[in-house]
């Protein structure tokens, strides 16, 4: 799950204040005084991030709780406390912290996205879809949000939702034309929709990128191409999945995946 690395708003205000004073000609021997609470909030927040990074959840909880006690109105602190509770498997506590964070920053797309993640991880898929859509209202270019919404739509049995999922993957390919993760997902949904033109174009792009791939992956994509020509889209979907099973082991695929998804494989 995404760690909220954004420092507390307090930190940003403090830094801006220091820079403004310097720009206005504050004498070099005059130092800017930062309150002890301010300094302790920043210290606890960043130490909490470091602990969360390496999986020291108990330490992270103590540090973020300390930061929250000093600065209770900072949404970034609350968001990371929510992540700590997710790590502990305490979804109820995570939701409480996230709701508090969202009340403090209701127009923040990252918090809406985090809410969607929590809902999805708890199998509350309808709620997750609502929150991912809200993410995109707040930030239409949100790549993780587009990918996550497309994945939610793929779960459906409704053809119009598959079409929307394909459009979302296609929009990501405008931004990231060589992203393997998106290309494979676009191929799979094109096969599901029996969209010959999209499947062919996506396969062509994948094959152009496949010089250094394991031969078995190339073989599966070649078989998928033949299946498209034969109109056997069930076979296209099968071959696309088999190719993905090979490609997911590549560092290139995993790197591309982090550009659009928080999932780890």
């Amino acid at each position: 799950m995404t760690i909220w690395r954004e420092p507390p708003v307090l930190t940003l205000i403090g830094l801006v204040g220091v820079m403004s004073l310097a720009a206005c000609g504050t004498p070099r021997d005059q130092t800017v005084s930062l309150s002890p609470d301010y300094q302790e909030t920043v210290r606890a927040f960043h130490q909490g991030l470091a602990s969360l990074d390496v999986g020291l959840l108990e330490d992270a909880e103590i540090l973020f709780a300390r930061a929250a006690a000093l600065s209770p109105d900072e949404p970034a602190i609350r968001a990371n406390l929510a992540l700590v509770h997710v790590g502990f498997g305490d979804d109820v506590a995570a939701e409480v912290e996230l709701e508090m964070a969202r009340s403090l920053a209701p127009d923040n797309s990252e918090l809406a996205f985090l809410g969607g993640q929590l809902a999805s991880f708890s199998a509350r898929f309808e709620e997750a879809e609502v929150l991912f859509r809200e993410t995109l209202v707040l930030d239409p270019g949100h790549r993780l949000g587009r990918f996550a919404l497309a994945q939610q739509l793929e779960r459906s049995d409704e053809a119009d939702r598959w079409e929307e999922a394909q459009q979302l993957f296609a929009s990501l390919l405008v931004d990231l034309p060589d992203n393997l993760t998106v290309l494979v997902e676009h191929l799979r949904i094109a096969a599901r929709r029996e969209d010959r033109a999209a499947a062919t174009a996506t396969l062509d792009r994948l094959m152009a990128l496949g010089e250094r791939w394991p031969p078995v992956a190339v073989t599966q994509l070649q078989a998928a191409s033949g299946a498209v020509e034969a109109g056997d889209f069930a076979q296209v979907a099968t071959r696309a999945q088999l190719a993905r099973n090979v490609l997911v082991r590549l560092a290139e695929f995993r790197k591309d995946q982090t550009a659009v998804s928080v999932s780890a494989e």
Side-chain angles (χ1 to χ4, degrees):
M1 182 171 291
T2 304
I3 295 173
W4 248 56
R5 299 191 168 283
E6 189 175 313
V9 175
L10 179 62
T11 306
L12 297 178
I13 293 172
L15 289 175
V16 170
V18 172
M19 292 172 65
S20 297
L21 286 171
C24 291
T26 303
R28 290 182 180 275
D29 59 352
Q30 180 178 336
T31 60
V32 177
S33 177
L34 301 177
S35 74
D37 281 356
Y38 167 86
Q39 296 180 59
E40 180 58 25
T41 298
V42 174
R43 184 182 302 111
F45 180 82
H46 286 288
Q47 288 176 348
L49 284 182
S51 296
L52 189 55
D53 249 346
V54 296
L56 298 176
L57 297 179
E58 292 181 359
D59 290 349
E61 182 180 24
I62 292 169
L63 289 160
F64 287 135
R66 172 63 176 158
L70 292 166
S71 299
D73 294 334
E74 293 298 338
I77 298 171
R78 297 293 179 181
N80 281 298
L81 268 172
L83 296 183
V84 170
H85 290 306
V86 170
F88 284 134
D90 190 344
D91 291 347
V92 174
E95 291 289 348
V96 169
E97 293 293 346
L98 181 59
E99 285 178 14
M100 191 173 300
R102 294 211 68 198
S103 72
L104 295 167
D107 296 329
N108 188 286
S109 62
E110 295 301 331
L111 289 176
F113 178 70
L114 178 55
Q117 286 182 278
L118 292 181
S120 182
F121 294 162
S122 300
R124 304 194 312 271
F125 298 124
E126 289 185 6
E127 181 182 345
E129 180 181 334
V130 170
L131 287 163
F132 291 141
R133 289 190 185 281
E134 183 177 346
T135 301
L136 298 183
V137 169
L138 295 168
D139 178 6
H142 200 290
R143 289 173 181 169
L144 297 177
R146 280 184 280 167
F147 191 85
L149 177 57
Q151 288 186 311
Q152 292 296 323
L153 294 169
E154 282 186 300
R155 299 176 185 276
S156 173
D157 293 328
E158 300 174 20
D160 60 334
R161 291 166 69 79
W162 298 349
E163 182 179 9
E164 185 181 0
Q166 184 176 343
Q167 290 169 350
L168 287 164
F169 288 133
S171 76
L172 285 165
L173 289 174
V174 172
D175 298 341
L176 304 166
D178 294 339
N179 186 290
L180 294 183
T181 301
V182 181
L183 283 166
V184 171
E185 291 303 320
H186 191 246
L187 175 59
R188 292 169 68 190
I189 196 67
R192 196 173 186 184
R193 296 191 62 240
E194 300 188 3
D195 185 337
R196 183 186 299 270
T200 299
T202 307
L203 278 165
D204 288 347
R205 188 66 203 139
L206 282 166
M207 294 298 292
L209 297 171
E211 277 186 17
R212 296 183 298 277
W213 294 352
V216 64
V218 176
T219 298
Q220 295 299 336
L221 293 174
Q222 288 172 337
S225 184
V228 170
E229 293 180 8
D232 186 350
F233 288 98
Q235 187 63 208
V236 176
T238 298
R239 296 292 183 174
Q241 181 61 51
L242 291 172
R244 186 189 187 282
N245 292 345
V246 177
L247 294 174
V248 76
R249 304 171 194 166
L250 303 181
E252 179 184 359
F253 186 98
R254 294 194 296 272
K255 179 181 177 182
D256 285 353
Q257 188 175 42
T258 62
V260 293
S261 174
V262 297
S263 298
E265 297 187 58

